[in-house]
Amino acid sequence: MSDSDLPVVLIVEDEPDVAETYKLWLQQEYEVRMAQNGDEGLEQLDADVDVVLLDRMMPGLSGDEVLERIRERKLGCRVAMVTAVEPDFDILEMGFDAYLSKPIRSEQLHETVDNLLDRSEYDSLLQEYYALVEKQATLEATKSSAELAESDQYDELTQRVAEMRDDLSETLGGIEDDSDFIATLRGLSDDEDN
């Protein structure tokens, strides 16, 4: 996120009319940056960018090459390919988060950006949850039951883990315990792999 506290969307599109249309659709809810080619897009890409809308066919660096460089930088942004190129099996090797075929509608673009932002937020929550569970497991493996029972910090950690599990459970749809949670995550992972 940027200084404006609005999510930042970077539009990398070589057709000025198309880029301007996307900007008009999005500028009320997001801070919008625009780049007319891949090199310019990479110059404008920084840690503040939350979502990149990336055209696949551009002169100079193609969208595929830009996507590869974005992933090499290991920035946490989500990338949606927004393109007139019909998807083929080559997309299986590409690291994008969404693929939109032109022409697209305003609602479709908004929905995609919102979904990508939600996914980023969820990923952060999941990472935090796992970090806390790891700390909890480490303490439980190294401290006695009496030491754990006397520790206010451990009690706070346990409460935070339970709260996060509840938050994640609501997002994932009714998970009762850690075994359900793990099974659900494995199911999601299997769905993504297929």
Side-chain angles (χ1 to χ4, degrees):
M1 294 237 187
S2 67
D3 294 336
S4 71
D5 287 335
L6 291 174
V8 177
V9 176
L10 172 61
I11 300 167
V12 184
E13 170 63 64
D14 65 317
E15 295 179 47
D17 292 345
V18 172
E20 194 61 42
T21 299
Y22 295 166
K23 180 180 179 182
L24 289 171
W25 288 346
L26 297 172
Q27 67 187 359
Q28 295 298 314
E29 297 175 52
Y30 310 103
E31 179 183 321
V32 178
R33 299 179 186 176
M34 293 178 24
Q36 292 186 358
N37 58 55
D39 288 317
E40 192 178 315
L42 289 171
E43 287 173 19
Q44 292 198 38
L45 186 65
D46 58 30
D48 289 338
V49 174
D50 298 294
V51 174
V52 178
L53 301 176
L54 182 60
D55 187 14
R56 200 167 170 193
M57 297 296 291
M58 296 181 289
L61 280 180
S62 71
D64 296 5
E65 293 169 307
V66 173
L67 175 62
E68 199 172 302
R69 293 194 185 168
I70 289 171
R71 294 306 183 217
E72 286 171 1
R73 289 187 187 181
K74 298 193 185 310
L75 296 170
C77 63
R78 298 291 181 177
V79 179
M81 301 298 278
V82 185
T83 181
V85 176
E86 282 298 314
D88 202 351
F89 290 106
D90 65 331
I91 68 168
L92 296 173
E93 302 300 319
M94 298 172 66
F96 60 80
D97 300 290
Y99 197 100
L100 299 174
S101 296
K102 291 178 183 176
I104 61 171
R105 299 174 321 279
S106 173
E107 305 81 40
Q108 187 181 16
L109 190 62
H110 275 277
E111 183 177 305
T112 298
V113 172
D114 288 342
N115 286 342
L116 293 176
L117 290 169
D118 287 346
R119 196 181 310 169
S120 290
E121 185 177 320
Y122 174 73
D123 286 350
S124 296
L125 186 63
L126 191 57
Q127 288 173 4
E128 183 183 350
Y129 175 77
Y130 276 126
L132 292 175
V133 167
E134 180 67 27
K135 291 174 185 175
Q136 183 181 24
T138 301
L139 289 173
E140 289 171 354
T142 59
K143 299 291 183 187
S144 70
S145 297
E147 288 174 305
L148 293 174
E150 292 176 9
S151 172
D152 290 338
Q153 290 174 305
Y154 177 76
D155 187 49
E156 289 172 16
L157 172 65
T158 303
Q159 289 177 22
R160 180 69 182 131
V161 167
E163 289 169 7
M164 291 191 77
R165 185 182 311 112
D166 290 345
D167 291 346
L168 289 165
S169 177
E170 285 178 28
T171 303
L172 295 173
I175 296 169
E176 299 301 322
D177 58 26
D178 284 337
S179 60
D180 283 350
F181 182 78
I182 291 167
T184 301
L185 287 178
R186 285 191 178 132
L188 289 175
S189 178
D190 292 345
D191 290 346
E192 289 174 3
D193 292 343
N194 291 328

